[in-house]
Amino acid sequence: MSAACAVTTCLSIPVASTDLEENPGFAELLHKLSKHVNEQAESRRQLQKLAENREHLKKVKLKYFQQLLLYTELQELLLDQQLCEAPTKKKQENTRMVSADLEERLQAKCIRLLHYHQGGSTSTENDDLLRARASQLGGILEEEKAQQASEAKALQTDRRSRDQQYWEYYQTLLHSLAILEELILKHRLGSQPQMDHLSVQHMSIRCEALSIKARLLELQLLCDTYTMETTAALRRIKQHIDSRQLQTEAELTAVAQAVKAYRSAGLGYEELVKEYTQLSREHENKTWAVQTLQATSKHAS
């Protein structure tokens, strides 16, 4: 683990290593802060003073509880023996007896505590060994308490390390996703012209195929429509139309000549207009008939 990651782990700050590398000033600030505060943002100097005061309080409380224990045991012993006022010589003897009884009672309680602490596994040991082990029970409890505190601290450190690793993995995953999106975008932009070209070719081929199908359908319809029988009938119709066209053209020529003759003749105005109007209508009708016959003839051929 790099120094930057160690600082963030010490301060319990979820900061990615890439961010620290890109911002050296911020990394330097975190490094300086780690010298003055811990992961709970508490001053290390104040914590040291607090630890010293706690140690002093621990010693004072230990001395107080020792005296309280002696006083309580002595009080219980005196109540059990029901001691009363006696001469001075008698008091000295009682004092020696009380001291021995008090020591015996304290040793018995220590043995019971040792038995409870060991879970009943001391029942087979002799009294001297039990007394020796009972005298060391305080140190054993202190060691176990210190071991538990060390394990709790190690567990807390592991938890911070896990959180830091989770943050690092999360940032790495986001960065990987961003790179993947960029690669996908570049690939799409690079292959898009080729895809467009293929799409145009595909559509062009489909259009040609549809055009060929339409032409094939048209030819099929013509084949189904103009069979041998219908072709012969259409030829006869064409001959009839051609003859009719020649006849109509002859009539048209005659009408045109008559109109020309009327124009050149000196007839009356009104009769001339009527005759001219009638001949013009006939001329238009003949012209329309000729055009229709020509169109029909072309279609039949």
Side-chain angles (χ1 to χ4, degrees):
M1 182 181 295
S2 62
C5 293
V7 171
T8 55
T9 303
C10 180
L11 294 178
S12 185
I13 300 176
V15 181
S17 58
T18 54
D19 295 334
L20 294 177
E21 293 175 359
E22 295 175 356
N23 302 276
F26 182 63
E28 182 66 21
L29 175 62
L30 293 179
H31 180 69
K32 291 181 180 180
L33 286 175
S34 64
K35 296 179 180 179
H36 300 283
V37 297
N38 61 358
E39 60 274 7
Q40 281 80 27
E42 298 173 338
S43 174
R44 295 184 182 275
R45 183 179 301 176
Q46 296 296 329
L47 287 177
Q48 184 178 1
K49 292 182 180 180
L50 181 61
E52 294 175 357
N53 293 331
R54 285 178 177 174
E55 186 66 24
H56 177 69
L57 178 62
K58 180 181 178 181
K59 293 178 180 179
V60 173
K61 289 175 66 176
L62 178 61
K63 185 176 181 181
Y64 167 75
F65 284 118
Q66 288 176 349
Q67 294 176 354
L68 179 62
L69 179 62
L70 290 174
Y71 175 78
T72 304
E73 289 296 328
L74 183 59
Q75 186 180 21
E76 292 178 358
L77 181 61
L78 292 175
L79 291 174
D80 291 340
Q81 295 181 357
Q82 296 181 355
L83 295 178
C84 58
E85 292 293 333
T88 305
K89 186 175 181 180
K90 187 69 174 177
K91 286 184 177 181
Q92 292 177 354
E93 293 178 358
N94 289 334
T95 300
R96 287 194 295 270
M97 291 177 60
V98 168
S99 178
D101 291 340
L102 182 61
E103 183 178 358
E104 187 68 24
R105 289 169 66 93
L106 290 175
Q107 286 182 354
K109 284 191 174 182
C110 289
I111 291 173
R112 287 198 299 270
L113 289 174
L114 178 64
H115 181 74
Y116 175 77
H117 178 264
Q118 298 296 329
S121 61
T122 59
S123 58
T124 59
E125 299 178 0
N126 55 34
D127 295 340
D128 294 336
L129 182 59
L130 286 175
R131 290 189 184 93
R133 293 184 61 185
S135 63
Q136 299 175 356
L137 182 59
I140 294 174
L141 294 176
E142 287 291 337
E143 291 179 359
E144 291 181 354
K145 185 178 179 181
Q147 183 178 0
Q148 289 180 356
S150 177
E151 291 177 354
K153 186 176 181 179
L155 182 61
Q156 187 177 7
T157 302
D158 293 340
R159 186 179 293 110
R160 289 197 302 268
S161 177
R162 182 195 62 188
D163 294 340
Q164 180 67 25
Q165 289 179 357
Y166 173 79
W167 180 259
E168 291 283 345
Y169 293 156
Y170 178 71
Q171 294 294 326
T172 304
L173 181 60
L174 290 180
H175 184 63
S176 301
L177 289 175
I179 294 176
L180 183 60
E181 289 180 356
E182 184 179 358
L183 291 176
I184 292 174
L185 183 60
K186 288 183 179 179
H187 177 71
R188 289 188 60 186
L189 292 177
S191 60
Q192 191 65 37
Q194 184 179 2
M195 293 178 61
D196 294 340
H197 180 67
L198 293 176
S199 299
V200 170
Q201 287 184 345
H202 176 69
M203 296 301 293
S204 177
I205 293 173
R206 289 193 61 184
C207 290
E208 291 179 359
L210 290 175
S211 178
I212 292 173
K213 287 183 179 180
R215 180 59 179 167
L216 181 62
L217 180 61
E218 180 184 359
L219 294 176
Q220 185 67 36
L221 291 174
L222 291 175
C223 291
D224 294 339
T225 302
Y226 299 106
T227 60
M228 296 297 294
E229 293 80 4
T230 57
T231 304
L234 289 173
R235 287 196 184 96
R236 290 192 295 271
I237 293 172
K238 182 178 182 301
Q239 292 175 359
H240 176 71
I241 291 174
D242 290 340
S243 61
R244 184 62 180 170
Q245 180 181 358
L246 294 175
Q247 183 181 356
T248 305
E249 289 178 354
E251 293 177 355
L252 178 61
T253 302
V255 170
Q257 291 177 355
V259 171
K260 184 177 180 182
Y262 279 115
R263 287 178 179 176
S264 60
L267 298 177
Y269 180 74
E270 293 181 358
E271 294 179 358
L272 182 61
V273 170
K274 292 179 181 179
E275 191 71 21
Y276 177 76
T277 303
Q278 183 179 359
L279 291 175
S280 296
R281 289 176 181 175
E282 292 180 1
H283 183 271
E284 291 176 357
N285 292 333
K286 298 297 182 180
T287 304
W288 174 82
V290 170
Q291 293 176 353
T292 303
L293 290 173
Q294 289 178 352
T296 305
S297 178
K298 291 181 179 179
H299 180 69
S301 61

